[in-house]
PDB file of all heavy atoms in Angstrom:
ATOM      1  N   GLY A 145      -3.516   9.355 -15.694  1.00 98.00           N
ATOM      2  CA  GLY A 145      -2.570   8.545 -16.449  1.00 98.00           C
ATOM      3  C   GLY A 145      -1.264   8.261 -15.735  1.00 98.00           C
ATOM      4  O   GLY A 145      -0.301   7.787 -16.354  1.00 98.00           O
ATOM      5  N   LEU A 146      -1.202   8.529 -14.441  1.00 98.00           N
ATOM      6  CA  LEU A 146       0.004   8.271 -13.648  1.00 98.00           C
ATOM      7  C   LEU A 146      -0.191   7.018 -12.792  1.00 98.00           C
ATOM      8  O   LEU A 146      -1.326   6.587 -12.545  1.00 98.00           O
ATOM      9  CB  LEU A 146       0.319   9.454 -12.714  1.00 98.00           C
ATOM     10  CG  LEU A 146       1.013  10.679 -13.312  1.00 98.00           C
ATOM     11  CD1 LEU A 146       0.094  11.424 -14.262  1.00 98.00           C
ATOM     12  CD2 LEU A 146       1.478  11.611 -12.199  1.00 98.00           C
ATOM     13  N   LYS A 147       0.907   6.463 -12.318  1.00 98.00           N
ATOM     14  CA  LYS A 147       0.854   5.343 -11.392  1.00 98.00           C
ATOM     15  C   LYS A 147       0.742   5.877  -9.965  1.00 98.00           C
ATOM     16  O   LYS A 147       1.409   6.846  -9.590  1.00 98.00           O
ATOM     17  CB  LYS A 147       2.084   4.450 -11.519  1.00 98.00           C
ATOM     18  CG  LYS A 147       2.256   3.811 -12.886  1.00 98.00           C
ATOM     19  CD  LYS A 147       1.074   2.932 -13.250  1.00 98.00           C
ATOM     20  CE  LYS A 147       1.276   2.240 -14.591  1.00 98.00           C
ATOM     21  NZ  LYS A 147       0.078   1.458 -14.977  1.00 98.00           N
ATOM     22  N   ALA A 148      -0.098   5.223  -9.181  1.00 98.00           N
ATOM     23  CA  ALA A 148      -0.318   5.611  -7.793  1.00 98.00           C
ATOM     24  C   ALA A 148       0.385   4.626  -6.865  1.00 98.00           C
ATOM     25  O   ALA A 148       0.012   3.447  -6.805  1.00 98.00           O
ATOM     26  CB  ALA A 148      -1.809   5.651  -7.483  1.00 98.00           C
ATOM     27  N   LEU A 149       1.411   5.113  -6.178  1.00 99.00           N
ATOM     28  CA  LEU A 149       2.137   4.298  -5.207  1.00 99.00           C
ATOM     29  C   LEU A 149       1.801   4.793  -3.803  1.00 99.00           C
ATOM     30  O   LEU A 149       1.522   5.970  -3.602  1.00 99.00           O
ATOM     31  CB  LEU A 149       3.648   4.384  -5.434  1.00 99.00           C
ATOM     32  CG  LEU A 149       4.150   4.102  -6.849  1.00 99.00           C
ATOM     33  CD1 LEU A 149       5.671   4.231  -6.900  1.00 99.00           C
ATOM     34  CD2 LEU A 149       3.715   2.731  -7.330  1.00 99.00           C
ATOM     35  N   ILE A 150       1.846   3.894  -2.840  1.00 99.00           N
ATOM     36  CA  ILE A 150       1.579   4.253  -1.453  1.00 99.00           C
ATOM     37  C   ILE A 150       2.813   3.972  -0.618  1.00 99.00           C
ATOM     38  O   ILE A 150       3.317   2.841  -0.619  1.00 99.00           O
ATOM     39  CB  ILE A 150       0.390   3.454  -0.862  1.00 99.00           C
ATOM     40  CG1 ILE A 150      -0.794   3.437  -1.810  1.00 99.00           C
ATOM     41  CG2 ILE A 150       0.020   4.006   0.514  1.00 99.00           C
ATOM     42  CD1 ILE A 150      -1.443   4.752  -2.064  1.00 99.00           C
ATOM     43  N   ARG A 151       3.294   5.004   0.105  1.00 98.00           N
ATOM     44  CA  ARG A 151       4.298   4.722   1.140  1.00 98.00           C
ATOM     45  C   ARG A 151       3.486   4.406   2.395  1.00 98.00           C
ATOM     46  O   ARG A 151       2.898   5.275   3.015  1.00 98.00           O
ATOM     47  CB  ARG A 151       5.215   5.931   1.364  1.00 98.00           C
ATOM     48  CG  ARG A 151       6.554   5.537   2.033  1.00 98.00           C
ATOM     49  CD  ARG A 151       6.577   5.721   3.505  1.00 98.00           C
ATOM     50  NE  ARG A 151       6.578   7.128   3.860  1.00 98.00           N
ATOM     51  CZ  ARG A 151       7.691   7.890   3.977  1.00 98.00           C
ATOM     52  NH1 ARG A 151       8.881   7.386   3.783  1.00 98.00           N
ATOM     53  NH2 ARG A 151       7.580   9.166   4.329  1.00 98.00           N
ATOM     54  N   VAL A 152       3.435   3.098   2.702  1.00 98.00           N
ATOM     55  CA  VAL A 152       2.590   2.642   3.802  1.00 98.00           C
ATOM     56  C   VAL A 152       3.168   3.084   5.139  1.00 98.00           C
ATOM     57  O   VAL A 152       4.336   3.486   5.238  1.00 98.00           O
ATOM     58  CB  VAL A 152       2.390   1.113   3.758  1.00 98.00           C
ATOM     59  CG1 VAL A 152       1.580   0.720   2.536  1.00 98.00           C
ATOM     60  CG2 VAL A 152       3.714   0.366   3.798  1.00 98.00           C
ATOM     61  N   SER A 153       2.353   2.988   6.180  1.00 98.00           N
ATOM     62  CA  SER A 153       2.772   3.467   7.493  1.00 98.00           C
ATOM     63  C   SER A 153       3.832   2.571   8.121  1.00 98.00           C
ATOM     64  O   SER A 153       4.690   3.046   8.866  1.00 98.00           O
ATOM     65  CB  SER A 153       1.563   3.585   8.421  1.00 98.00           C
ATOM     66  OG  SER A 153       0.788   2.398   8.398  1.00 98.00           O
ATOM     67  N   LYS A 154       3.781   1.282   7.816  1.00 98.00           N
ATOM     68  CA  LYS A 154       4.801   0.359   8.303  1.00 98.00           C
ATOM     69  C   LYS A 154       4.690  -0.957   7.537  1.00 98.00           C
ATOM     70  O   LYS A 154       3.745  -1.169   6.769  1.00 98.00           O
ATOM     71  CB  LYS A 154       4.677   0.126   9.812  1.00 98.00           C
ATOM     72  CG  LYS A 154       3.366  -0.490  10.263  1.00 98.00           C
ATOM     73  CD  LYS A 154       3.388  -0.695  11.779  1.00 98.00           C
ATOM     74  CE  LYS A 154       2.072  -1.292  12.270  1.00 98.00           C
ATOM     75  NZ  LYS A 154       2.121  -1.556  13.734  1.00 98.00           N
ATOM     76  N   ASN A 155       5.640  -1.830   7.780  1.00 98.00           N
ATOM     77  CA  ASN A 155       5.674  -3.135   7.116  1.00 98.00           C
ATOM     78  C   ASN A 155       4.733  -4.080   7.862  1.00 98.00           C
ATOM     79  O   ASN A 155       5.147  -4.904   8.661  1.00 98.00           O
ATOM     80  CB  ASN A 155       7.110  -3.676   7.128  1.00 98.00           C
ATOM     81  CG  ASN A 155       7.272  -4.900   6.244  1.00 98.00           C
ATOM     82  OD1 ASN A 155       6.370  -5.277   5.500  1.00 98.00           O
ATOM     83  ND2 ASN A 155       8.444  -5.517   6.312  1.00 98.00           N
ATOM     84  N   GLU A 156       3.432  -3.901   7.558  1.00 98.00           N
ATOM     85  CA  GLU A 156       2.405  -4.599   8.318  1.00 98.00           C
ATOM     86  C   GLU A 156       1.335  -5.138   7.374  1.00 98.00           C
ATOM     87  O   GLU A 156       0.959  -4.473   6.407  1.00 98.00           O
ATOM     88  CB  GLU A 156       1.814  -3.633   9.350  1.00 98.00           C
ATOM     89  CG  GLU A 156       0.928  -4.252  10.391  1.00 98.00           C
ATOM     90  CD  GLU A 156      -0.533  -4.227   9.977  1.00 98.00           C
ATOM     91  OE1 GLU A 156      -0.920  -3.319   9.212  1.00 98.00           O
ATOM     92  OE2 GLU A 156      -1.274  -5.122  10.408  1.00 98.00           O
ATOM     93  N   GLU A 157       0.864  -6.339   7.651  1.00 98.00           N
ATOM     94  CA  GLU A 157       0.006  -7.061   6.727  1.00 98.00           C
ATOM     95  C   GLU A 157      -1.287  -6.322   6.381  1.00 98.00           C
ATOM     96  O   GLU A 157      -1.643  -6.210   5.197  1.00 98.00           O
ATOM     97  CB  GLU A 157      -0.339  -8.426   7.328  1.00 98.00           C
ATOM     98  CG  GLU A 157      -1.233  -9.282   6.463  1.00 98.00           C
ATOM     99  CD  GLU A 157      -1.510 -10.633   7.084  1.00 98.00           C
ATOM    100  OE1 GLU A 157      -1.120 -10.849   8.248  1.00 98.00           O
ATOM    101  OE2 GLU A 157      -2.126 -11.471   6.405  1.00 98.00           O
ATOM    102  N   VAL A 158      -1.983  -5.806   7.364  1.00 98.00           N
ATOM    103  CA  VAL A 158      -3.319  -5.256   7.119  1.00 98.00           C
ATOM    104  C   VAL A 158      -3.267  -3.979   6.287  1.00 98.00           C
ATOM    105  O   VAL A 158      -4.016  -3.826   5.323  1.00 98.00           O
ATOM    106  CB  VAL A 158      -4.063  -5.016   8.449  1.00 98.00           C
ATOM    107  CG1 VAL A 158      -5.392  -4.306   8.191  1.00 98.00           C
ATOM    108  CG2 VAL A 158      -4.302  -6.338   9.171  1.00 98.00           C
ATOM    109  N   ILE A 159      -2.368  -3.055   6.626  1.00 98.00           N
ATOM    110  CA  ILE A 159      -2.326  -1.796   5.878  1.00 98.00           C
ATOM    111  C   ILE A 159      -1.894  -2.031   4.433  1.00 98.00           C
ATOM    112  O   ILE A 159      -2.419  -1.410   3.504  1.00 98.00           O
ATOM    113  CB  ILE A 159      -1.417  -0.751   6.575  1.00 98.00           C
ATOM    114  CG1 ILE A 159      -1.584   0.618   5.901  1.00 98.00           C
ATOM    115  CG2 ILE A 159       0.043  -1.178   6.563  1.00 98.00           C
ATOM    116  CD1 ILE A 159      -2.988   1.176   5.958  1.00 98.00           C
ATOM    117  N   ILE A 160      -0.957  -2.943   4.209  1.00 98.00           N
ATOM    118  CA  ILE A 160      -0.532  -3.251   2.836  1.00 98.00           C
ATOM    119  C   ILE A 160      -1.684  -3.859   2.050  1.00 98.00           C
ATOM    120  O   ILE A 160      -1.963  -3.468   0.908  1.00 98.00           O
ATOM    121  CB  ILE A 160       0.700  -4.175   2.844  1.00 98.00           C
ATOM    122  CG1 ILE A 160       1.928  -3.405   3.346  1.00 98.00           C
ATOM    123  CG2 ILE A 160       0.954  -4.766   1.456  1.00 98.00           C
ATOM    124  CD1 ILE A 160       3.166  -4.250   3.523  1.00 98.00           C
ATOM    125  N   LYS A 161      -2.383  -4.794   2.659  1.00 98.00           N
ATOM    126  CA  LYS A 161      -3.520  -5.439   1.996  1.00 98.00           C
ATOM    127  C   LYS A 161      -4.606  -4.426   1.656  1.00 98.00           C
ATOM    128  O   LYS A 161      -5.170  -4.440   0.548  1.00 98.00           O
ATOM    129  CB  LYS A 161      -4.071  -6.532   2.910  1.00 98.00           C
ATOM    130  CG  LYS A 161      -5.329  -7.213   2.432  1.00 98.00           C
ATOM    131  CD  LYS A 161      -5.652  -8.444   3.278  1.00 98.00           C
ATOM    132  CE  LYS A 161      -5.701  -8.115   4.757  1.00 98.00           C
ATOM    133  NZ  LYS A 161      -6.008  -9.328   5.561  1.00 98.00           N
ATOM    134  N   ARG A 162      -4.883  -3.510   2.563  1.00 98.00           N
ATOM    135  CA  ARG A 162      -5.977  -2.564   2.348  1.00 98.00           C
ATOM    136  C   ARG A 162      -5.672  -1.582   1.216  1.00 98.00           C
ATOM    137  O   ARG A 162      -6.530  -1.323   0.358  1.00 98.00           O
ATOM    138  CB  ARG A 162      -6.286  -1.812   3.649  1.00 98.00           C
ATOM    139  CG  ARG A 162      -6.875  -2.699   4.709  1.00 98.00           C
ATOM    140  CD  ARG A 162      -7.256  -1.912   5.961  1.00 98.00           C
ATOM    141  NE  ARG A 162      -8.491  -1.142   5.758  1.00 98.00           N
ATOM    142  CZ  ARG A 162      -9.045  -0.388   6.704  1.00 98.00           C
ATOM    143  NH1 ARG A 162      -8.481  -0.305   7.899  1.00 98.00           N
ATOM    144  NH2 ARG A 162     -10.161   0.276   6.455  1.00 98.00           N
ATOM    145  N   VAL A 163      -4.454  -1.029   1.179  1.00 98.00           N
ATOM    146  CA  VAL A 163      -4.163  -0.059   0.112  1.00 98.00           C
ATOM    147  C   VAL A 163      -4.069  -0.742  -1.246  1.00 98.00           C
ATOM    148  O   VAL A 163      -4.427  -0.149  -2.277  1.00 98.00           O
ATOM    149  CB  VAL A 163      -2.895   0.773   0.403  1.00 98.00           C
ATOM    150  CG1 VAL A 163      -3.055   1.562   1.698  1.00 98.00           C
ATOM    151  CG2 VAL A 163      -1.638  -0.072   0.441  1.00 98.00           C
ATOM    152  N   LEU A 164      -3.608  -1.993  -1.274  1.00 98.00           N
ATOM    153  CA  LEU A 164      -3.569  -2.714  -2.548  1.00 98.00           C
ATOM    154  C   LEU A 164      -4.975  -3.069  -3.013  1.00 98.00           C
ATOM    155  O   LEU A 164      -5.280  -2.991  -4.208  1.00 98.00           O
ATOM    156  CB  LEU A 164      -2.695  -3.966  -2.433  1.00 98.00           C
ATOM    157  CG  LEU A 164      -1.198  -3.704  -2.272  1.00 98.00           C
ATOM    158  CD1 LEU A 164      -0.431  -5.012  -2.150  1.00 98.00           C
ATOM    159  CD2 LEU A 164      -0.649  -2.882  -3.438  1.00 98.00           C
ATOM    160  N   ASP A 165      -5.849  -3.448  -2.081  1.00 98.00           N
ATOM    161  CA  ASP A 165      -7.230  -3.731  -2.468  1.00 98.00           C
ATOM    162  C   ASP A 165      -7.957  -2.469  -2.939  1.00 98.00           C
ATOM    163  O   ASP A 165      -8.939  -2.558  -3.675  1.00 98.00           O
ATOM    164  CB  ASP A 165      -7.988  -4.371  -1.302  1.00 98.00           C
ATOM    165  CG  ASP A 165      -7.631  -5.836  -1.100  1.00 98.00           C
ATOM    166  OD1 ASP A 165      -7.032  -6.429  -2.009  1.00 98.00           O
ATOM    167  OD2 ASP A 165      -7.944  -6.386  -0.024  1.00 98.00           O
ATOM    168  N   MET A 166      -7.469  -1.309  -2.530  1.00 98.00           N
ATOM    169  CA  MET A 166      -8.020  -0.049  -3.052  1.00 98.00           C
ATOM    170  C   MET A 166      -7.599   0.203  -4.500  1.00 98.00           C
ATOM    171  O   MET A 166      -8.138   1.089  -5.151  1.00 98.00           O
ATOM    172  CB  MET A 166      -7.550   1.129  -2.187  1.00 98.00           C
ATOM    173  CG  MET A 166      -8.158   1.175  -0.822  1.00 98.00           C
ATOM    174  SD  MET A 166      -7.464   2.570   0.109  1.00 98.00           S
ATOM    175  CE  MET A 166      -7.983   2.147   1.769  1.00 98.00           C
ATOM    176  N   GLY A 167      -6.598  -0.539  -4.969  1.00 98.00           N
ATOM    177  CA  GLY A 167      -6.190  -0.406  -6.364  1.00 98.00           C
ATOM    178  C   GLY A 167      -4.862   0.279  -6.590  1.00 98.00           C
ATOM    179  O   GLY A 167      -4.558   0.677  -7.719  1.00 98.00           O
ATOM    180  N   ALA A 168      -4.045   0.431  -5.540  1.00 99.00           N
ATOM    181  CA  ALA A 168      -2.727   1.040  -5.720  1.00 99.00           C
ATOM    182  C   ALA A 168      -1.891   0.231  -6.708  1.00 99.00           C
ATOM    183  O   ALA A 168      -1.987  -1.001  -6.766  1.00 99.00           O
ATOM    184  CB  ALA A 168      -1.999   1.131  -4.382  1.00 99.00           C
ATOM    185  N   ASP A 169      -1.058   0.944  -7.461  1.00 98.00           N
ATOM    186  CA  ASP A 169      -0.183   0.286  -8.442  1.00 98.00           C
ATOM    187  C   ASP A 169       1.069  -0.290  -7.793  1.00 98.00           C
ATOM    188  O   ASP A 169       1.774  -1.087  -8.423  1.00 98.00           O
ATOM    189  CB  ASP A 169       0.232   1.284  -9.520  1.00 98.00           C
ATOM    190  CG  ASP A 169      -0.958   1.754 -10.337  1.00 98.00           C
ATOM    191  OD1 ASP A 169      -1.545   0.916 -11.047  1.00 98.00           O
ATOM    192  OD2 ASP A 169      -1.306   2.949 -10.260  1.00 98.00           O
ATOM    193  N   GLY A 170       1.345   0.121  -6.574  1.00 98.00           N
ATOM    194  CA  GLY A 170       2.525  -0.405  -5.896  1.00 98.00           C
ATOM    195  C   GLY A 170       2.651   0.180  -4.506  1.00 98.00           C
ATOM    196  O   GLY A 170       1.893   1.073  -4.114  1.00 98.00           O
ATOM    197  N   ILE A 171       3.610  -0.338  -3.766  1.00 99.00           N
ATOM    198  CA  ILE A 171       3.844   0.115  -2.402  1.00 99.00           C
ATOM    199  C   ILE A 171       5.325   0.410  -2.194  1.00 99.00           C
ATOM    200  O   ILE A 171       6.195  -0.211  -2.817  1.00 99.00           O
ATOM    201  CB  ILE A 171       3.388  -0.927  -1.356  1.00 99.00           C
ATOM    202  CG1 ILE A 171       3.982  -2.321  -1.664  1.00 99.00           C
ATOM    203  CG2 ILE A 171       1.874  -0.977  -1.263  1.00 99.00           C
ATOM    204  CD1 ILE A 171       3.721  -3.363  -0.595  1.00 99.00           C
ATOM    205  N   ILE A 172       5.579   1.389  -1.340  1.00 98.00           N
ATOM    206  CA  ILE A 172       6.917   1.639  -0.821  1.00 98.00           C
ATOM    207  C   ILE A 172       6.853   1.317   0.663  1.00 98.00           C
ATOM    208  O   ILE A 172       6.049   1.916   1.395  1.00 98.00           O
ATOM    209  CB  ILE A 172       7.355   3.090  -1.060  1.00 98.00           C
ATOM    210  CG1 ILE A 172       7.480   3.354  -2.568  1.00 98.00           C
ATOM    211  CG2 ILE A 172       8.678   3.388  -0.354  1.00 98.00           C
ATOM    212  CD1 ILE A 172       7.848   4.780  -2.918  1.00 98.00           C
ATOM    213  N   VAL A 173       7.661   0.375   1.092  1.00 98.00           N
ATOM    214  CA  VAL A 173       7.579  -0.135   2.463  1.00 98.00           C
ATOM    215  C   VAL A 173       8.742   0.422   3.269  1.00 98.00           C
ATOM    216  O   VAL A 173       9.900   0.172   2.948  1.00 98.00           O
ATOM    217  CB  VAL A 173       7.585  -1.670   2.490  1.00 98.00           C
ATOM    218  CG1 VAL A 173       7.365  -2.173   3.917  1.00 98.00           C
ATOM    219  CG2 VAL A 173       6.499  -2.231   1.565  1.00 98.00           C
TER     220      VAL A 173
END
């Protein structure tokens, strides 16, 4: 019941796209 956020490795197109396609609720860049 919690939100899952990802602090991505860097401000880069592929890693952001991949974690969001996994279903993350948000990103910290």
Side-chain angles (χ1 to χ4, degrees):
L146 280 69
K147 299 300 183 184
L149 308 180
I150 313 294
R151 201 263 290 273
V152 293
S153 49
K154 61 179 179 177
N155 190 8
E156 191 268 332
E157 180 178 7
V158 174
I159 190 61
I160 290 174
K161 175 170 53 180
R162 292 184 76 179
V163 300
L164 291 179
D165 284 345
M166 290 178 195
D169 295 294
I171 51 173
I172 295 177
V173 185

